[in-house]
Amino acid sequence: MEGQKRIRVGLLGLGTVGGGVYRMLLDNQGAIERRSGARLEITRIGVRDANRERDVPAELVTCDLESIVADPEIDVIVEVIGGLEPAGDLIRTALANGKPVVTANKEWMAKQGQAYVRYAAEHGLDLHYEAAVGGGIPLIQPLKHQLAGNDMVRMMGILNGTTNFILTRMTEEGAEFGDVLRDAQAAGYAEADPTADVDGFDAQYKLAILSSIAFGKEVDPETVYREGIRRVGKRDIEFADLLGYRIKLLGIVSSSGQDHLQARVHPTMIPKTHPLAAVSGVYNALWFQGDFVGDVMFSGRGAGSDPTASAVVGDLVDIARNLVSGGKGSAIPVGPKVASDPIESLETSYYVRLTVLDRPKVLGTIANLFGEYDVSLAAMEMRTLSAEKGEIVFMTHRCQEGRFRPAIEAVGDSSVVDRVENWIRVEG
């Protein structure tokens, strides 16, 4: 449009997400101009290997990323490199040079980002990071704005598409974890090294970011309890279905008193009737419970080039509007850092699967051992495995994890129990 403000964007990274951002700004240029009031142009692109063939003009590409964040002609920086460094140093330099920043970097935002959100707010700059959490699902903006008047009671989410894909396939096909993981890697849903996904690190970072915004206190990600899905087996999926549940890797946070939160990531059995139970495949979802709004859920594709690019460009449009209007940045800092309460303080129910020996008084012995730690049993399923062994599944009543853990250890040491196969937390 004639006479429209030109905003020059420096793009750090041209991988899956960076490529999506570049394409979206070209393909949807007209709509973006109408909505932002400015012409957004990527004028420089920082990459690790400038000689690699890419579908972008060669004159835009450089390996000197520091020159981009220092360039006075660049108005906005988009960081989609990932990892703590050099991404963190580039973001810090960009802000110090007075440039607003959009990042999709969940690890950096979880571990260091809130200090720089405060810096951005103090200096009238934008630091936006919608893509760091939900990919294409808008989560941060609703928490900052539309839901900001609520006291958040509880939040639960499927925050990792890879693990949801694996657990969905295990549920629908009766497959084992290792087989589905290999299929997910072959299909490109899981990395060659799947640790960040299947061991819960990705969800841990995302939950720390969301918890900080929802509850207004910076949550240290290292204190968020984390447990992955490697121990979830085909038999656990089968018993969950029989008992009316689905198993999901959930990030869960709730208020546990003044300046206290209970934040955790782990496999969880949730009732089939809960909205999160129906979220399948690579989809992510976040369910909120606010004191006034009640229950709210957002769901969508949480990863990939196009959904994540959509969130990045949305943040860019927000920044462009500020630059056009001459307004100050809209970065919203949270309160001082808090640690999540230890997992031993959690009160919930538990699913337990045991292989037991075929001996008299097996049930009574196990029930008595649980009872010694004030853990009461609510339901039971039994199956014969052989002439010598059987399988027993228990559901407990709610109890404190600090009592449950020594109880399950005592049960595992019992002479009537061959092996504690697994135990999983249950949400009502």
Side-chain angles (χ1 to χ4, degrees):
M1 294 182 186
E2 196 68 33
Q4 203 163 40
K5 183 177 177 67
R6 177 175 178 241
I7 294 176
R8 292 150 299 193
V9 179
L11 178 62
L12 305 180
L14 196 64
T16 300
V17 178
V21 171
Y22 182 82
R23 291 195 311 274
M24 190 173 185
L25 286 175
L26 286 181
D27 294 350
N28 293 0
Q29 186 178 76
I32 291 167
E33 286 184 24
R34 289 193 300 273
R35 290 164 185 163
S36 66
R39 184 177 182 84
L40 290 161
E41 296 180 4
I42 293 179
T43 56
R44 297 193 67 192
I45 301 173
V47 298
R48 290 190 174 92
D49 178 7
N51 296 318
R52 181 179 162 191
E53 193 170 327
R54 296 177 174 89
D55 192 21
V56 299
E59 63 270 18
L60 298 183
V61 177
T62 178
C63 288
D64 187 359
L65 278 65
E66 290 80 3
S67 70
I68 297 177
V69 296
D71 188 343
E73 297 298 311
I74 299 290
D75 300 305
V76 183
I77 296 295
V78 173
E79 182 276 308
V80 287
I81 301 169
L84 291 179
E85 298 299 342
D89 188 53
L90 292 166
I91 294 171
R92 289 187 287 270
T93 302
L95 292 171
N97 288 331
K99 301 182 191 303
V101 173
V102 177
T103 179
N105 194 329
K106 54 186 164 284
E107 183 179 7
W108 185 80
M109 279 306 308
K111 292 181 176 179
Q112 301 179 16
Q114 283 301 327
Y116 293 93
V117 172
R118 286 191 281 274
Y119 177 93
E122 290 165 2
H123 291 79
L125 296 169
D126 280 303
L127 174 54
H128 289 340
Y129 49 98
E130 186 71 65
V133 176
I137 312 169
L139 298 177
I140 291 175
Q141 289 291 351
L143 281 172
K144 283 182 175 179
H145 300 291
Q146 289 83 4
L147 299 175
N150 286 262
D151 275 338
M152 198 60 64
V153 177
R154 186 173 175 78
M155 186 168 68
M156 295 199 299
I158 297 168
L159 303 177
N160 181 271
T162 299
T163 52
N164 203 42
F165 171 82
I166 292 171
L167 292 172
T168 299
R169 284 277 307 275
M170 291 175 70
T171 300
E172 294 177 350
E173 301 173 17
E176 291 287 4
F177 168 79
D179 297 331
V180 180
L181 174 58
R182 283 187 288 274
D183 289 347
Q185 289 169 319
Y189 292 133
E191 301 289 341
D193 178 1
T195 301
D197 294 321
V198 302
D199 290 330
F201 290 98
D202 179 78
Q204 181 188 44
Y205 299 147
K206 292 175 179 177
L207 186 67
I209 296 169
L210 288 168
S211 301
S212 297
I213 299 167
F215 292 89
K217 304 282 185 182
E218 183 181 353
V219 177
D220 184 345
E222 301 301 327
T223 69
V224 175
Y225 178 80
R226 176 191 53 79
E227 186 181 309
I229 64 169
R230 293 183 192 267
R231 291 193 303 117
V232 178
K234 174 181 173 180
R235 296 292 284 166
D236 302 313
I237 299 281
E238 292 172 353
F239 276 112
D241 182 61
L242 179 68
L243 294 164
Y245 292 85
R246 290 282 183 263
I247 299 177
K248 299 289 185 182
L249 181 73
L250 294 185
I252 304 172
V253 60
S254 57
S255 175
S256 57
Q258 186 69 29
D259 294 330
H260 284 269
L261 297 176
Q262 175 72 250
R264 49 200 166 97
V265 170
H266 52 70
T268 309
M269 288 175 57
I270 56 171
K272 294 177 185 178
T273 53
H274 194 285
L276 287 172
V279 178
S280 60
V282 295
Y283 275 64
N284 288 8
L286 191 66
W287 173 88
F288 308 90
Q289 187 180 49
D291 60 344
F292 272 72
V293 75
D295 295 354
V296 179
M297 193 170 92
F298 296 86
S299 179
R301 291 166 62 198
S305 171
D306 293 348
T308 310
S310 173
V312 169
V313 173
D315 280 346
L316 268 175
V317 168
D318 201 17
I319 288 173
R321 288 170 178 154
N322 267 345
L323 293 176
V324 168
S325 67
K328 290 189 175 182
S330 57
I332 302 175
V334 300
K337 186 174 285 190
V338 296
S340 172
D341 291 344
I343 194 66
E344 288 77 12
S345 67
L346 172 68
E347 287 199 8
T348 192
S349 301
Y350 298 86
Y351 152 94
V352 179
R353 180 165 63 92
L354 309 172
T355 299
V356 299
L357 303 178
D358 185 11
R359 293 181 182 175
K361 300 181 180 180
V362 168
L363 290 177
T365 300
I366 294 170
N368 286 336
L369 285 169
F370 275 119
E372 288 178 10
Y373 294 89
D374 292 328
V375 177
S376 61
L377 305 179
M380 181 189 72
E381 293 286 339
M382 295 181 63
R383 292 186 181 178
T384 300
L385 298 177
S386 68
E388 295 81 24
K389 294 181 182 179
E391 186 176 49
I392 303 180
V393 166
F394 293 103
M395 299 286 278
T396 77
H397 288 290
R398 287 178 65 86
C399 64
Q400 191 175 68
E401 186 146 328
R403 296 201 306 269
F404 176 80
R405 284 176 177 260
I408 197 66
E409 186 175 342
V411 168
D413 290 339
S414 168
S415 61
V416 300
V417 173
D418 180 62
R419 178 181 170 87
V420 176
E421 299 292 348
N422 204 0
W423 58 269
I424 298 173
R425 299 167 188 88
V426 180
E427 293 295 320

